[in-house]
RNA sequence: GCCCCCGUAGUCCAAUGGCAGAGACAGAGGACUUAAAAUCCUUCCAGUGUCGGUUCGAGUCCGACCGGGGGCACCA
């Protein structure tokens, strides 16, 4: 045979594979010249797509997690480029933060050097990793050029009353020697260093994210189906809206009533005592003159000494102290003893509750510990909580509740609020678990807060024309954490005249939480060349919202919630014409080794640079993307990079086998192979667009297998369909294995870049199968399979079924109850 | 304690309610080779965690349970 003779001549009997390292070195400079991923040319007629990867923190070189994240983001960005979109796919660095500062302390140097060195290392690695970033849109949050706009934004928030200072017991990490936002405390531990977080009373800056709680919740309807359900759930839980009522209780011997918050006003008749948070101002006020001040002070000391870890213990016994005061239940005038306890939180609701032990487990635990009354007011059909010690929290019929008797929970809630509202004793109310965002940090390496404290004028914003307030050089300055910002010790920096009155004043020495930086960086990419504005309104309106955001689920409630908040604020300030920043979100999983997160101390660290040196960039990218669904964790122990190398070589060899010339008319090619090509392209598109990249690659593998077969034992290497297949393989592979794809593209006689080749047009006529297998069932059991036309009608298929000997034999004279026909797939005859 | 997600070959994973297997890893065998590697071909392996329900038909939908993972956690 001519084909096999040709083959023997062409393929050396020895192993044939391309030199991975050589190919990588070969194409990088060529791509640098072509810049296939430069976006936003003014004359670009293509429709836009904004594909965004979460920007990295520059701590050392890229690791396996980066490799996965950027491989996935790249598939999406490169796909849309192939589909003819003007894709913006930028990258930058989230460059402020503690690791740089800690490294600087260790080296007794300025954090800048360490930061920019690492950025350079990562940038070089990203280039070698063939990330399709637009290198003309880079930003670093630690550049004064960037953080100037943090300060501008802060002042915008300040002007709107959305940035404010208050005294509060804040989360304090004794190890990092700085305060933490609520979101940065994970199970009572600091998210950075895993040390137990304590409380400290400080005056700090907050952003009023709670003003946006309802919109942050309600606008999630726009994200439904576009964001992972898991992230939406986490944000919902985090915001934690609850609906209930505020009820006023008159206090004996106090002129003003105390307001409590409850979600169960229906159980008001069951209230048997009141509890106030031991660490609240209300408790301190109520205890004054009660005669139990000393006991209370002792109890409070114990409460303050407890860490969050102690508080989190689930089996912690209830403690508290009777304040020797009484409240009057507004529904029946009963006298309720007032207790102070640490099971009531000072900063949720009003810091005071009515206790209904029969229907709330915590209240019941407390009542049993303190021998207080338990009064059942809802008949749920369950056993008496007095006996069981289990509170009955469910719905039922109201009893012992005056005018509410016989009502259901929801009816009783509505009725009692109405009754009490008429007496000005209650009002429907909402509460949130979400707290305002504490942004002050007592550290050096961050954005200085642009406020000057003047002894006579108070807080004075730094005038806009004096922005940025730049960080001084840290060389020779003690950056060691000591509970107050190192900036405060730099006399030449901190002492300034008041912008208002000119008197001696001091700069605010704290810096901003670095999450401030990342809450709007996606806007800045559109305008990195603009020095007069944070972002160009028109450019932002062109590119935003981000069409596709890719990043780790670790940011589900921190970065993603803050970014949504900033977007809404900027919208309200008239800077944006949209309210949600990220239309679609993909959360990739983590890269594990032997079932657990990689770490040096655990001894299971896989170094990305080693893997790249052994298997090459393409194989690692392919292995990451093929390992499974992107949102699942990848266990590197289950992954076979050498299998990827094998496949890429197999694909690459096909490009060398093709003997037809570029531009040959595919229509004259082998029909069977052409159908496989078009079906594959169609399936690959569909899989990529639905984030099933592993499936997309499986389809490419099938196409490679089919083409191999066609070359070796089918239509042969000169058939135009083989070229069509090889080109489809190269273009498909360009999403995940750019070096191999470019090499194939060149082998096929084309000029670079394959990234810009364009997704082949799919011929719908070629998507139709010649025949499909229909299954013939009796009572749901498969008896026969027949080949039929894909366009067969239900009735024709039924006729064929009854004509089938096996079926007619099975049916015989039996009574047919039902025939279910789904042409062209099956006929099911129910006897 | 409350909420959410997931259980398919030895492994990683596919399968608009319609033939459980697309793809791969590992294993076995064969061709080629003096041999090995590489390459090519062939092949073994589960009835979908358990029990029940809905349906002509369930891996897929519903309920309970078991197992694994995650989120929140004294939020009134």
């Amino acid at each position: 045979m001519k084909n096999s003779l040709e083959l023997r001549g062409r393929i050396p009997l020895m192993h044939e594979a391309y030199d991975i390292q050589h190919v990588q070195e070969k194409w990088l400079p060529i791509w640098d010249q072509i810049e296939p991923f430069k976006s936003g040319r003014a004359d670009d007629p293509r429709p836009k797509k904004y594909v965004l990867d979460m920007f990295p923190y520059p701590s050392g070189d890229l690791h396996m997690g980066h490799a996965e994240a950027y491989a996935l983001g790249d598939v999406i960005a490169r796909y849309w480029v192939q589909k003819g979109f003007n894709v913006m796919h930028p990258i930058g660095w989230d460059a402020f933060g503690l690791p740089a500062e800690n490294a600087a302390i260790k080296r007794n140097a300025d954090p800048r050097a360490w930061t920019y060195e690492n950025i350079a290392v990562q940038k070089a690695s990203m280039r070698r990793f063939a990330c399709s970033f637009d290198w003309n849109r880079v930003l670093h949050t630690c550049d004064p050029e960037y953080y100037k706009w943090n300060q501008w934004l802060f002042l915008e928030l300040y002007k709107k009353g959305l940035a404010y200072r208050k005294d509060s017991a804040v989360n304090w990490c004794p190890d990092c020697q700085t305060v933490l936002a609520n979101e940065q405390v994970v199970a009572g531990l600091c998210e950075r260093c895993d040390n137990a977080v304590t409380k400290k009373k400080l005056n700090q800056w907050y952003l009023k994210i709670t003003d946006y709680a309802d919109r942050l919740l309600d606008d999630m309807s726009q994200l439904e189906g576009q964001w992972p359900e898991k992230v939406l759930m986490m944000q919902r839980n985090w915001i934690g809206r609850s609906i209930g009522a505020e009820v006023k209780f008159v206090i004996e011997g106090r002129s003003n009533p105390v307001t409590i918050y409850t979600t169960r006003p229906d159980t008001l008749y069951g209230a048997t005592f009141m509890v106030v948070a031991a660490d609240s101002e209300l408790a301190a006020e109520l205890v004054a003159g009660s005669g139990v001040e000393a006991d209370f002070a002792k109890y409070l000391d114990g409460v303050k000494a407890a860490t969050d870890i102690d508080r989190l213990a689930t089996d912690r016994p209830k403690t508290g102290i009777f304040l020797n005061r009484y409240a009057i239940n507004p529904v029946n005038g009963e006298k309720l003893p007032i207790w102070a306890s640490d099971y009531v939180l000072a900063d949720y609701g009003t810091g005071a509750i009515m206790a209904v032990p029969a229907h709330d487990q915590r209240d019941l635990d407390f009542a049993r510990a303190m021998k207080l009354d338990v009064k059942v007011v809802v008949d749920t059909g369950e056993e008496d909580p007095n006996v069981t010690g289990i509170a009955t929290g469910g719905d039922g019929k109201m009893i012992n509740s005056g005018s509410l008797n016989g009502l259901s929970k929801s009816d009783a809630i509505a009725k009692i609020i109405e009754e009490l509202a008429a007496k000005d004793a209650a009002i429907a109310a909402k509460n949130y678990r979400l707290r305002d965002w504490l942004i002050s940090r007592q550290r050096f390496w961050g954005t200085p807060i642009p406020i000057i404290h003047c002894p006579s004028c108070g807080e004075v914003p730094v005038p806009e024309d004096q922005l940025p307030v730049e960080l001084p050089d840290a060389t020779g300055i003690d950056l060691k954490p000591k509970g107050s910002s190192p900036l405060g010790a730099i006399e030449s920096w901190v002492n300034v005249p008041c912008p208002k009155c000119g008197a001696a004043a001091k700069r605010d020495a704290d810096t901003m939480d670095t999450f401030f930086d990342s809450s709007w960086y996606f806007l800045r990419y559109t305008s990195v060349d603009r020095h007069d504005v944070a972002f160009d309104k028109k450019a932002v309106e062109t590119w935003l919202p981000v069409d596709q955001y890719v990043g780790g689920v670790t940011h589900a409630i921190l970065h993603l919630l803050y970014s949504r908040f900033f977007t809404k604020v900027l919208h309200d300030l008239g800077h944006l014409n949209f309210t949600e920043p990220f239309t679609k979100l993909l959360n990739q999983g983590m890269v594990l080794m032997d079932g657990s997160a990689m770490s040096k101390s655990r001894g299971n660290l896989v170094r990305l640079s080693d893997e790249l040196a052994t298997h090459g960039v393409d194989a690692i990218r392919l292995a990451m993307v093929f390992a499974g669904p992107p949102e699942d964790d990848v266990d590197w122990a289950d992954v076979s990079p050498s299998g990827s190398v094998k496949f890429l070589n197999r694909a690459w060899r096909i490009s060398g086998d093709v003997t037809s010339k570029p531009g040959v008319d595919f229509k004259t090619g082998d029909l069977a192979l052409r159908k496989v090509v078009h079906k594959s392209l169609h399936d690959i598109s569909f899989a990529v667009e639905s984030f099933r990249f592993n499936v997309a690659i499986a389809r490419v593998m099938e196409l490679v297998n089919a083409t191999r077969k066609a070359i070796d034992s089918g239509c042969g290497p000169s058939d135009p369909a083989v070229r069509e297949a090889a080109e489809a393989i190269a273009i498909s592979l360009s999403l995940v294995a750019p070096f191999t794809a470019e090499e194939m593209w060149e082998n096929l006689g084309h000029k670079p870049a394959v990234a810009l080749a364009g997704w082949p047009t799919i011929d719908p006529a070629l998507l139709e199968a010649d025949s499909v297998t229909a299954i013939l069932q009796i009572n749901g059991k498969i008896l026969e399979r027949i080949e039929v036309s894909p366009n067969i009608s239900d009735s024709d298929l039924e006729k064929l079924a009854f004509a089938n000997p096996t079926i007619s034999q099975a049916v015989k004279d039996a009574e047919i109850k039902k025939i279910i026909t789904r042409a062209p797939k099956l006929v099911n005859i129910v006897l």
Side-chain angles (χ1 to χ4, degrees), chain A residues 184-230:
Chain A
Q184 289 166 317
V185 181
V186 180
L189 303 176
C190 169
E191 64 139 12
R192 280 230 70 83
C193 67
D194 276 349
N195 279 289
V197 171
T198 60
K199 293 281 181 195
K200 193 168 176 176
K201 204 125 190 172
L202 283 175
N203 186 279
Q204 299 279 290
W205 284 101
Y206 290 82
L207 300 187
K208 236 176 175 174
I209 191 170
T210 50
D211 272 12
Y212 284 76
D214 276 327
R215 282 167 67 190
L216 287 167
L217 264 178
D218 297 339
D219 287 356
M220 270 185 240
S221 58
Q222 295 177 40
L223 308 175
E224 212 79 54
Q226 309 286 309
W227 281 34
E229 193 47 49
K230 183 182 169 184

Coordinates of all heavy atoms in Angstrom, one line a residue, chain A residues 184-230:
Chain A
Q184 N -11.6 38.0 58.7 CA -10.3 37.4 58.7 C -10.0 36.5 60.0 O -9.0 36.1 60.2 CB -9.2 38.5 58.7 CG -9.1 39.2 57.3 CD -8.4 40.5 57.3 OE1 -8.5 41.3 58.2 NE2 -7.5 40.7 56.3
V185 N -11.1 36.4 60.7 CA -11.0 35.5 61.9 C -11.7 34.2 61.5 O -12.9 34.2 61.2 CB -11.7 36.1 63.1 CG1 -11.6 35.2 64.3 CG2 -11.1 37.5 63.4
V186 N -11.0 33.1 61.5 CA -11.5 31.8 61.1 C -11.6 30.9 62.3 O -10.5 30.5 62.8 CB -10.7 31.2 59.9 CG1 -11.3 29.9 59.5 CG2 -10.7 32.2 58.7
A187 N -12.8 30.6 62.7 CA -13.0 29.7 63.9 C -12.1 30.2 65.1 O -11.5 29.4 65.8 CB -12.6 28.3 63.5
G188 N -12.1 31.5 65.3 CA -11.4 32.1 66.4 C -9.9 32.2 66.2 O -9.2 32.6 67.1
L189 N -9.5 31.9 65.0 CA -8.0 32.0 64.8 C -7.7 33.0 63.7 O -8.6 33.2 62.8 CB -7.5 30.6 64.3 CG -7.7 29.4 65.2 CD1 -7.2 28.1 64.6 CD2 -7.0 29.6 66.6
C190 N -6.6 33.6 63.7 CA -6.1 34.5 62.7 C -5.9 33.8 61.4 O -5.2 32.8 61.4 CB -4.8 35.2 63.1 SG -4.0 36.2 61.9
E191 N -6.5 34.3 60.3 CA -6.4 33.5 59.0 C -5.0 33.5 58.5 O -4.7 32.7 57.7 CB -7.4 34.1 58.0 CG -7.1 35.5 57.6 CD -7.2 35.8 56.1 OE1 -7.8 35.0 55.4 OE2 -6.7 36.9 55.7
R192 N -4.2 34.4 58.9 CA -2.8 34.5 58.5 C -1.9 33.5 59.2 O -1.1 32.8 58.6 CB -2.2 35.9 58.6 CG -2.6 36.9 57.6 CD -1.4 37.6 57.0 NE -0.6 36.7 56.2 CZ -0.8 36.5 55.0 NH1 -1.9 37.0 54.3 NH2 0.0 35.6 54.3
C193 N -1.9 33.6 60.6 CA -0.9 32.9 61.3 C -1.5 31.8 62.2 O -0.8 31.1 62.9 CB -0.1 33.9 62.2 SG -1.1 34.6 63.5
D194 N -2.9 31.6 62.2 CA -3.5 30.6 63.0 C -3.3 30.7 64.5 O -3.5 29.7 65.2 CB -3.0 29.2 62.5 CG -3.8 28.7 61.3 OD1 -4.8 29.3 61.0 OD2 -3.3 27.7 60.7
N195 N -3.0 31.9 65.0 CA -3.0 32.1 66.4 C -4.4 32.5 66.9 O -5.1 33.1 66.2 CB -1.9 33.1 66.8 CG -0.5 32.5 66.8 OD1 -0.2 31.7 67.7 ND2 0.2 32.8 65.8
A196 N -4.6 32.2 68.2 CA -5.9 32.6 68.8 C -6.1 34.1 68.8 O -5.2 34.8 69.2 CB -6.0 32.0 70.2
V197 N -7.2 34.6 68.4 CA -7.5 36.0 68.3 C -8.1 36.4 69.6 O -9.0 35.7 70.2 CB -8.5 36.3 67.2 CG1 -9.0 37.7 67.2 CG2 -7.8 36.0 65.8
T198 N -7.7 37.6 70.1 CA -8.3 38.1 71.4 C -9.0 39.4 71.0 O -9.1 39.8 69.9 CB -7.2 38.4 72.4 OG1 -6.3 39.4 71.9 CG2 -6.5 37.2 72.8
K199 N -9.6 40.0 72.1 CA -10.4 41.2 71.9 C -9.6 42.4 72.5 O -8.9 42.2 73.5 CB -11.7 41.2 72.6 CG -12.7 40.2 72.0 CD -13.3 40.7 70.7 CE -14.3 39.6 70.2 NZ -14.7 39.9 68.8
K200 N -9.7 43.5 71.9 CA -9.0 44.7 72.4 C -9.9 45.9 72.1 O -10.4 46.0 71.0 CB -7.6 44.8 71.7 CG -6.7 45.8 72.3 CD -5.3 45.6 71.7 CE -4.3 46.6 72.3 NZ -3.0 46.4 71.8
K201 N -9.9 46.8 73.0 CA -10.8 48.0 72.8 C -9.9 49.1 72.1 O -8.9 49.5 72.7 CB -11.3 48.5 74.2 CG -12.5 49.4 74.0 CD -13.6 48.8 74.9 CE -15.0 49.5 74.6 NZ -16.1 48.9 75.3
L202 N -10.3 49.4 70.9 CA -9.5 50.4 70.1 C -10.4 51.3 69.3 O -11.6 51.0 69.1 CB -8.6 49.6 69.1 CG -7.4 49.0 69.6 CD1 -6.7 48.2 68.5 CD2 -6.4 50.0 70.2
N203 N -9.9 52.4 69.0 CA -10.6 53.4 68.1 C -10.1 53.1 66.7 O -8.9 53.3 66.4 CB -10.3 54.8 68.5 CG -11.1 55.8 67.7 OD1 -10.7 56.1 66.6 ND2 -12.2 56.2 68.2
Q204 N -11.0 52.7 65.8 CA -10.5 52.2 64.5 C -11.4 52.8 63.4 O -12.6 53.2 63.6 CB -10.5 50.7 64.5 CG -9.6 50.1 65.5 CD -8.2 50.0 65.0 OE1 -7.8 49.3 64.1 NE2 -7.3 50.9 65.6
W205 N -10.9 52.7 62.1 CA -11.7 53.0 61.0 C -12.6 51.9 60.5 O -12.1 50.7 60.4 CB -10.8 53.5 59.8 CG -10.3 54.9 60.0 CD1 -9.0 55.2 60.5 CD2 -10.9 56.1 59.8 NE1 -8.9 56.5 60.5 CE2 -10.0 57.1 60.1 CE3 -12.2 56.5 59.4 CZ2 -10.4 58.5 60.0 CZ3 -12.5 57.8 59.2 CH2 -11.6 58.8 59.6
Y206 N -13.8 52.2 60.1 CA -14.7 51.2 59.6 C -15.3 51.6 58.3 O -15.5 52.8 58.1 CB -15.9 50.9 60.6 CG -15.4 50.2 61.9 CD1 -14.9 50.9 62.9 CD2 -15.6 48.8 62.0 CE1 -14.5 50.2 64.1 CE2 -15.2 48.2 63.2 CZ -14.6 48.9 64.2 OH -14.2 48.2 65.3
L207 N -15.7 50.7 57.5 CA -16.5 51.0 56.3 C -17.9 50.4 56.6 O -18.1 49.3 57.0 CB -15.9 50.4 55.0 CG -14.5 50.9 54.7 CD1 -14.1 50.3 53.3 CD2 -14.4 52.4 54.7
K208 N -18.9 51.2 56.2 CA -20.3 50.9 56.5 C -20.9 49.9 55.6 O -21.9 50.2 54.9 CB -21.1 52.2 56.6 CG -21.8 52.3 57.9 CD -22.5 53.6 58.0 CE -23.3 53.7 59.3 NZ -23.9 54.9 59.6
I209 N -20.3 48.7 55.5 CA -20.9 47.7 54.6 C -22.3 47.3 55.0 O -23.1 46.8 54.2 CB -19.9 46.5 54.5 CG1 -20.3 45.6 53.3 CG2 -19.8 45.7 55.8 CD1 -19.2 44.5 53.0
T210 N -22.6 47.4 56.3 CA -23.9 47.0 56.8 C -25.0 47.8 56.1 O -26.1 47.3 56.0 CB -24.0 47.1 58.3 OG1 -23.6 48.4 58.7 CG2 -23.2 46.1 59.0
D211 N -24.7 49.0 55.7 CA -25.7 49.8 55.0 C -26.1 49.1 53.7 O -27.2 49.4 53.1 CB -25.1 51.2 54.6 CG -25.4 52.2 55.7 OD1 -25.7 51.8 56.8 OD2 -25.2 53.4 55.4
Y212 N -25.3 48.3 53.2 CA -25.5 47.6 51.9 C -26.0 46.2 52.1 O -26.0 45.5 51.1 CB -24.3 47.7 51.0 CG -24.1 49.1 50.4 CD1 -23.6 50.2 51.2 CD2 -24.4 49.4 49.1 CE1 -23.5 51.4 50.7 CE2 -24.3 50.7 48.6 CZ -23.8 51.7 49.4 OH -23.7 52.9 48.9
A213 N -26.2 45.8 53.3 CA -26.5 44.4 53.5 C -27.7 43.9 52.7 O -27.6 42.8 52.1 CB -26.8 44.1 55.0
D214 N -28.8 44.6 52.7 CA -29.9 44.2 51.9 C -29.6 44.1 50.4 O -30.0 43.1 49.8 CB -31.1 45.2 52.1 CG -31.9 44.8 53.4 OD1 -32.0 43.7 53.7 OD2 -32.4 45.8 54.0
R215 N -28.9 45.1 49.9 CA -28.6 45.0 48.4 C -27.6 43.9 48.1 O -27.7 43.3 47.1 CB -28.1 46.4 48.0 CG -29.3 47.4 47.8 CD -28.8 48.8 47.6 NE -28.0 49.0 46.4 CZ -27.3 50.1 46.1 NH1 -27.3 51.0 47.0 NH2 -26.7 50.2 45.0
L216 N -26.7 43.7 49.0 CA -25.7 42.6 48.8 C -26.5 41.3 48.8 O -26.1 40.4 48.0 CB -24.7 42.6 49.9 CG -23.6 43.7 49.8 CD1 -22.8 43.8 51.0 CD2 -22.7 43.5 48.5
L217 N -27.5 41.2 49.6 CA -28.3 39.9 49.6 C -29.2 39.9 48.3 O -29.2 38.9 47.6 CB -29.2 39.9 50.8 CG -28.7 39.1 52.0 CD1 -29.7 39.3 53.1 CD2 -28.5 37.7 51.7
D218 N -30.0 40.9 48.1 CA -31.0 40.9 47.1 C -30.4 40.8 45.7 O -31.0 40.2 44.8 CB -32.0 42.1 47.3 CG -32.7 42.0 48.6 OD1 -32.8 40.9 49.2 OD2 -33.1 43.1 49.1
D219 N -29.3 41.5 45.5 CA -28.7 41.5 44.1 C -28.1 40.1 43.8 O -27.7 39.9 42.6 CB -27.6 42.6 44.0 CG -28.3 44.0 43.9 OD1 -29.5 44.0 43.9 OD2 -27.5 44.9 43.9
M220 N -28.1 39.2 44.7 CA -27.6 37.9 44.4 C -28.5 37.2 43.4 O -28.0 36.2 42.7 CB -27.4 37.1 45.7 CG -26.0 37.2 46.3 SD -25.9 36.1 47.6 CE -25.5 37.2 48.9
S221 N -29.7 37.7 43.3 CA -30.6 37.1 42.3 C -30.0 37.2 40.9 O -30.2 36.4 40.0 CB -32.0 37.7 42.4 OG -31.9 39.1 42.2
Q222 N -29.2 38.3 40.7 CA -28.6 38.5 39.4 C -27.5 37.5 39.1 O -27.0 37.3 38.0 CB -27.9 39.9 39.3 CG -28.8 41.1 39.4 CD -28.0 42.4 39.4 OE1 -27.0 42.5 38.6 NE2 -28.4 43.3 40.2
L223 N -26.9 36.9 40.2 CA -25.8 36.0 40.1 C -26.2 34.6 40.0 O -25.4 33.7 39.7 CB -24.8 36.3 41.2 CG -24.4 37.7 41.4 CD1 -23.6 37.9 42.7 CD2 -23.7 38.2 40.2
E224 N -27.5 34.3 40.4 CA -28.0 32.9 40.4 C -27.7 32.2 39.1 O -28.0 32.8 38.0 CB -29.5 33.0 40.6 CG -30.1 31.9 41.4 CD -29.9 32.0 42.9 OE1 -30.2 33.0 43.5 OE2 -29.3 31.0 43.5
G225 N -27.1 31.1 39.1 CA -26.8 30.3 37.9 C -25.5 30.8 37.3 O -25.0 30.1 36.4
Q226 N -24.9 31.9 37.7 CA -23.7 32.4 37.1 C -22.5 32.3 38.0 O -21.4 32.1 37.6 CB -23.8 33.9 36.7 CG -25.1 34.3 36.0 CD -25.0 33.9 34.5 OE1 -24.0 34.2 33.8 NE2 -25.9 33.1 34.1
W227 N -22.8 32.3 39.3 CA -21.8 32.0 40.3 C -22.1 30.6 40.9 O -23.2 30.2 40.9 CB -21.9 33.1 41.4 CG -21.3 34.4 41.1 CD1 -21.3 35.0 39.9 CD2 -20.7 35.3 42.1 NE1 -20.7 36.3 40.1 CE2 -20.3 36.4 41.4 CE3 -20.5 35.2 43.5 CZ2 -19.7 37.5 42.0 CZ3 -19.9 36.3 44.1 CH2 -19.5 37.4 43.4
P228 N -21.0 30.0 41.5 CA -21.3 28.7 42.1 C -22.3 28.9 43.3 O -22.2 29.9 44.0 CB -19.9 28.4 42.7 CG -18.9 29.1 41.9 CD -19.6 30.4 41.5
E229 N -23.2 28.0 43.3 CA -24.2 28.0 44.4 C -23.6 28.1 45.8 O -24.1 28.8 46.7 CB -25.1 26.8 44.2 CG -26.4 26.9 45.0 CD -27.2 28.2 44.9 OE1 -27.4 28.6 43.7 OE2 -27.5 28.8 45.9
K230 N -22.5 27.4 45.9 CA -21.8 27.4 47.2 C -21.4 28.8 47.6 O -21.5 29.1 48.8 CB -20.5 26.5 47.0 CG -19.7 26.2 48.2 CD -18.5 25.4 47.8 CE -17.5 25.3 49.0 NZ -16.3 24.6 48.6

